[in-house]
């Protein structure tokens, strides 16, 4: 692990060995971003191929796609790619090769929005329970209907089917989106999941859906194909998913065989809770304190996204031993060449100093 390396090594450049034996060439990852570059019918396009070729050319180790949906009836936003059959396999293969031909690993982030889809986008929205959004959000999001047991089991099968197609297309792995208020996060949250059947009622039953999704994907892709998960450290919502439940969920996933855990937090309703203390901002990573709690519990590789600005800050997080992969998203959109600079120990020319000054003002 990273804490065994000599102190002068640039940890960003070191390869990462996953739990299943796979290797990512360095510790820098593009976290999921939703490009909405699909067709009106939600098919992938050559625009995605060109974009990911551009990102992979920078030397980055891992690229995670954003918001690829498993069901055309359940979109998170217009322009989402949907993978539910093999009709787009040739373009999916080109998309995968856009990264892998240049040495980068590429994971497809698989998602189902549940209730978190704006009015009018889908014929109807389902969720674990028929819990409305907050009053401020209710003008944009309708109250969902409660999913039936049959619908839940169909969604689980769809996650597995989509993952199998991703493997066939040549992608390096998949990431289960279990964060940010989407369907899996809704099942985990006692606020959104008020069921009393096998899918809710206790923390163990609330995480059963996520574990069933993982198990179905593993059945479809086999033991050697990496499966990652994006998980909230907490929802930051009264009555929602807590740090204690998140830690227990990570432990359950590790016991099941997950290969990589990305830590995040917040939902559409709460937003991402950004640190305000100057001491926390100095460490850059928003969720590093929670990552330290996870690291004390498990040895699975951990990815943290949010707040990173400098090569020094990224290396410090890796040096702590609590972080194994540094995720960047907004920084890579603003400055698509930044991975090449960071891997040489240099900061972004575009926004490093500006972000530092802005965050310092917010912390004051």
């Amino acid at each position: 692990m990273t804490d065994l390396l000599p102190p002068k090594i640039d940890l960003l450049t070191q390869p990462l060995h996953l739990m299943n034996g796979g290797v990512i060439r360095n510790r820098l990852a593009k976290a999921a971003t939703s490009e909405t570059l699909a067709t009106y019918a939600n098919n992938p396009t050559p625009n995605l191929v060109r974009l990911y070729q551009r990102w992979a050319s920078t030397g980055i180790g891992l690229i995670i796609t954003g918001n690829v949906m498993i069901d055309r009836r359940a979109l998170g936003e217009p322009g989402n790619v949907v993978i539910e059959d093999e009709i787009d396999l040739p373009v999916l293969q080109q998309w995968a090769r856009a990264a892998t031909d240049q040495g980068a690993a590429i994971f497809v982030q698989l998602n189902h929005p549940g209730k978190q889809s704006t009015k009018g986008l889908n014929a109807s929205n389902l969720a674990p329970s028929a819990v409305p959004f907050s009053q401020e959000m209710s003008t944009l999001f309708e109250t969902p209907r409660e999913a039936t047991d049959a619908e839940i089991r169909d969604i689980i099968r769809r996650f597995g089917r989509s993952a199998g197609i991703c493997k066939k297309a040549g992608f390096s792995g998949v990431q289960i989106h279990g964060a940010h208020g989407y369907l899996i996060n809704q099942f985990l949250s006692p606020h959104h999941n008020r069921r009393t059947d096998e899918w809710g009622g206790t923390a163990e039953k609330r995480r059963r859906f996520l574990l069933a999704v993982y198990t179905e994907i593993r059945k479809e892709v086999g033991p050697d194909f990496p499966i990652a998960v994006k998980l909230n450290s907490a929802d930051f919502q009264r009555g929602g998913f807590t740090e204690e439940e998140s830690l227990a969920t990570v432990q359950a996933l590790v016991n099941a065989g997950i290969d990589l855990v990305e830590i995040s937090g917040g939902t559409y309703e709460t937003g991402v809770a950004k640190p305000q203390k100057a001491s926390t901002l100095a460490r850059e990573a928003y969720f590093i304190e929670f990552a330290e709690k996870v690291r004390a519990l498990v040895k699975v590789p951990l990815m943290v996204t949010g707040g990173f600005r400098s090569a020094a800050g990224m290396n410090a997080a890796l040096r702590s031993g609590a972080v194994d992969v540094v995720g960047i998203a907004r920084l890579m959109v603003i400055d698509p060449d930044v991975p090449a600079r960071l891997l040489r120990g240099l900061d972004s020319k575009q926004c490093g100093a500006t972000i530092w000054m802005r965050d310092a003002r917010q912390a004051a």
Side-chain angles (χ1 to χ4, degrees):
M1 302 297 278
T2 54
D3 55 349
L4 300 179
L5 293 169
K8 291 186 178 180
I9 286 182
D10 184 336
L11 299 188
L12 272 180
T13 65
Q14 299 303 301
L16 174 70
H17 297 266
L18 297 176
M19 302 299 285
N20 69 345
V23 180
I24 296 172
R25 63 181 172 183
N26 58 58
R27 305 303 181 92
L28 193 60
K30 186 202 80 69
T33 52
S34 189
E35 295 89 26
T36 62
L37 289 175
T39 67
Y40 182 79
N42 306 106
N43 310 98
T45 63
N47 287 336
L48 284 165
V49 176
R50 288 192 292 271
L51 176 60
Y52 280 72
Q53 281 176 332
R54 176 73 169 82
W55 278 332
S57 70
T58 64
I60 197 164
L62 172 64
I63 298 176
I64 303 177
T65 74
N67 264 358
V68 172
M69 298 299 171
I70 60 168
D71 188 342
R72 278 183 168 78
R73 300 168 302 176
L75 303 177
E77 56 204 331
N80 284 153
V81 171
V82 175
I83 300 176
E84 58 180 2
D85 53 40
E86 296 185 11
I87 190 171
D88 293 314
L89 191 61
V91 181
L92 292 174
Q93 290 171 330
Q94 294 172 30
W95 191 5
R97 290 197 302 270
T100 58
D101 282 356
Q102 300 184 81
I106 180 169
F107 288 11
V108 176
Q109 185 190 73
L110 298 176
N111 194 10
H112 188 296
K115 66 191 286 184
Q116 199 163 258
S117 182
T118 53
K119 289 181 178 179
L121 184 58
N122 303 315
S124 67
N125 294 332
L126 56 73
S129 303
V131 178
F133 278 84
S134 63
Q135 185 174 356
E136 296 82 0
M137 304 285 286
S138 61
T139 57
L140 296 174
F141 298 92
E142 64 185 22
T143 299
R145 60 181 179 81
E146 182 174 299
T148 66
D149 182 78
E151 287 172 324
I152 292 170
R153 296 181 189 278
D154 176 65
I155 291 168
I156 292 168
R157 287 191 292 270
R158 284 175 175 274
F159 269 103
R161 171 67 172 157
S162 298
I165 296 168
C166 290
K167 180 181 179 181
K168 186 173 182 178
F171 288 96
S172 311
V174 293
Q175 183 190 63
I176 303 167
H177 199 337
H180 298 173
Y182 294 108
L183 183 64
I184 290 175
N185 185 212
Q186 292 162 32
F187 268 93
L188 292 169
S189 166
H191 171 73
H192 297 289
N193 183 353
R194 304 181 186 181
R195 305 178 73 99
T196 56
D197 59 5
E198 64 179 294
W199 305 107
T202 66
E204 182 179 9
K205 289 182 177 180
R206 285 193 298 273
R207 58 178 172 263
R208 182 170 287 169
F209 178 68
L210 169 56
L211 291 170
V213 167
Y214 169 80
T215 299
E216 184 70 15
I217 291 175
R218 182 59 75 196
K219 183 178 76 173
E220 289 289 332
V221 302
D224 299 327
F225 190 73
I227 304 174
V229 67
K230 188 169 191 172
L231 193 69
N232 274 1
S233 57
D235 292 348
F236 314 119
Q237 182 175 44
R238 181 175 295 179
F241 189 55
T242 65
E243 282 196 1
E244 291 73 22
E245 289 192 23
S246 185
L247 288 169
T249 302
V250 171
Q251 182 68 75
L253 286 164
V254 171
N255 292 344
I258 200 77
D259 295 296
L260 176 69
V261 176
E262 181 184 1
I263 296 168
S264 192
T267 69
Y268 276 24
E269 289 184 277
T270 64
V272 176
K274 299 179 181 179
Q276 298 300 314
K277 294 189 299 182
S279 59
T280 305
L281 285 169
R283 299 183 74 185
E284 297 193 12
Y286 291 160
F287 304 105
I288 193 166
E289 292 179 1
F290 181 75
E292 290 169 345
K293 296 177 184 178
V294 177
R295 174 58 73 233
L297 190 67
V298 297
K299 299 300 182 186
V300 67
L302 299 177
M303 174 175 165
V304 172
T305 303
F308 286 110
R309 301 175 293 269
S310 67
M314 295 174 190
N315 271 286
L318 293 168
R319 183 69 58 195
S320 75
V323 178
D324 300 293
V325 182
V326 170
I328 56 175
R330 184 180 305 175
L331 183 59
M332 196 153 177
V333 172
I334 295 170
D335 182 2
D337 291 316
V338 72
R341 292 183 58 83
L342 291 169
L343 292 168
R344 299 199 308 271
L346 304 173
D347 296 337
S348 170
K349 289 182 176 180
Q350 300 295 322
C351 56
T354 302
I355 294 174
W356 271 106
M357 292 173 65
R358 182 200 66 196
D359 286 348
R361 287 195 298 268
Q362 290 177 349

